Amino acid sequence: MPRAGRPSTVSTNENIEKIKKMVIDNRRLSKELNILQKEHRKAVAEDMILRVSSDFTFMKRIITGDETWVYEYDMQTSQQSSEYRLENEPNPKKPRQSRSKIKVMLTVFFDYRGVVNSEFLPDGQTVNKEYYLSVMRRLWKNNSWILHHDNAPSHTSILVREFLAKNSTNVIEQAPYSSDMAPCDFFLFPKLKLPLRGRRFESIEAIKENSQKELKELPSSAFKKCFEDWEKRWRMCIASDGAYFEGDKINLDD
């Protein structure tokens, strides 16, 4: 016998499709990747694997880069700040600290051999299309790399795209929300910043000097391994159907 009020279930196919559309239309509704984003990530990874398989020189012709802030003081990671203590000894009290407001923007580009170009944003400037175009002009003097960068507005402006097209530059696509497949994010910037954490620098020049020192100390073998790991990440992305795969146990032999 029918009764008043809402039905006990509303999980109809129509409602499911409405929810899917809501998630796709408004990415803020979910922290997880939506269906289209996963498909896009997987398609990019499949395209990259196809290129690697058909051209053994492909990886050696890629240059990748991005920008990052380097701070006058950045907190240590929890692992760095841990101290040895006896079994019954209480945890030491540590003063509360936070990242400094003094910082400088670093732009780095590298290939499988090592850093190709690194420079700091001049004081008073912002990373806009004009600045990024100037970086591209410095990089593309007598060079013919395959370019990989992310989808930041300064990177994808018409001004920059016209310059790259004029120089017949092959640009690799970076799927949105995919820092796990961006070498600067999963390799270079963490490697650069870890030794700088917990240290205080007395000036902007000291930040720059120590940043460049850490970049120079990264061995060429680390960059080679980064590119090998990059290819593995494409395969892991495919194996996970485009979902995030960090920390997942994925057998690529299956």
Side-chain angles (χ1 to χ4, degrees):
M1 182 175 178
R3 60 179 179 176
R6 292 183 299 176
S8 59
T9 177
V10 289
S11 297
T12 65
N13 290 334
E14 181 181 358
N15 285 333
I16 291 172
E17 288 303 315
K18 285 181 179 179
I19 292 171
K20 284 183 180 179
K21 186 176 186 305
M22 287 171 64
V23 171
I24 293 172
D25 290 343
N26 187 355
R27 294 167 181 167
R28 293 182 181 178
L29 290 177
S30 174
K31 292 182 181 180
E32 295 296 323
L33 293 166
N34 64 46
I35 297 169
L36 293 184
Q37 290 163 349
K38 289 179 182 178
E39 289 179 351
H40 191 181
R41 279 167 53 88
K42 186 176 179 181
V44 170
E46 287 174 338
D47 178 62
M48 296 301 287
I49 291 299
L50 181 62
R51 294 193 192 196
V52 171
S53 302
S54 60
D55 182 1
F56 70 93
T57 68
F58 177 69
M59 296 295 282
K60 294 183 177 181
R61 293 187 288 124
I62 297 175
I63 185 171
T64 181
D66 203 353
E67 304 91 18
T68 189
W69 288 111
V70 186
Y71 295 84
E72 176 267 336
Y73 174 80
D74 202 353
M75 298 168 292
Q76 289 182 315
T77 63
S78 57
Q79 185 175 0
Q80 282 180 305
S81 61
S82 62
E83 298 178 8
Y84 174 78
R85 60 186 178 85
L86 299 175
E87 185 176 350
N88 298 323
E89 187 179 0
N91 290 326
K93 292 184 179 180
K94 298 178 182 178
R96 187 174 182 180
Q97 297 180 341
S98 59
R99 177 182 285 167
S100 70
K101 294 182 180 180
I102 301 172
K103 58 187 178 180
V104 61
M105 180 69 80
L106 171 66
T107 301
V108 186
F109 279 87
F110 65 96
D111 62 12
Y112 81 104
R113 290 176 291 260
V115 174
V116 174
N117 182 66
S118 62
E119 56 187 88
F120 293 93
L121 185 70
D123 187 37
Q125 288 194 28
T126 59
V127 180
N128 53 26
K129 58 186 178 183
E130 289 80 14
Y131 170 75
Y132 195 69
L133 177 61
S134 70
V135 175
M136 291 292 98
R137 283 174 171 160
R138 285 188 285 278
L139 275 174
W140 252 257
K141 287 182 179 178
N142 303 318
N143 290 306
S144 56
W145 287 294
I146 298 171
L147 174 64
H148 172 266
H149 58 189
D150 66 17
N151 305 301
S154 58
H155 300 177
T156 57
S157 68
I158 293 176
L159 192 67
V160 171
R161 281 186 285 153
E162 286 178 345
F163 170 81
L164 295 174
K166 183 179 178 181
N167 285 270
S168 303
T169 303
N170 186 348
V171 180
I172 295 172
E173 183 177 7
Q174 169 68 22
Y177 311 106
S178 300
S179 58
D180 54 342
M181 292 195 291
C184 280
D185 291 318
F186 73 73
F187 163 69
L188 186 64
F189 294 156
K191 286 279 189 184
L192 163 66
K193 294 182 180 183
L194 187 62
L196 302 177
R197 286 177 176 268
R199 298 167 59 186
R200 292 190 182 275
F201 302 108
E202 67 276 8
S203 64
I204 292 292
E205 287 306 314
I207 301 173
K208 293 179 179 180
E209 181 181 340
N210 283 274
S211 299
Q212 292 287 17
K213 178 176 177 291
E214 295 300 334
L215 283 176
K216 290 178 181 178
E217 289 184 354
L218 288 172
S220 57
S221 59
F223 291 92
K224 183 175 182 292
K225 186 177 185 305
C226 165
F227 275 71
E228 292 170 354
D229 289 344
W230 196 9
E231 183 178 343
K232 289 179 183 177
R233 284 169 179 260
W234 295 328
R235 297 185 186 279
M236 290 174 72
C237 177
I238 296 168
S240 61
D241 285 326
Y244 289 133
F245 50 80
E246 289 296 329
D248 292 344
K249 295 179 179 179
I250 298 174
N251 188 351
L252 296 178
D253 296 327
D254 289 346

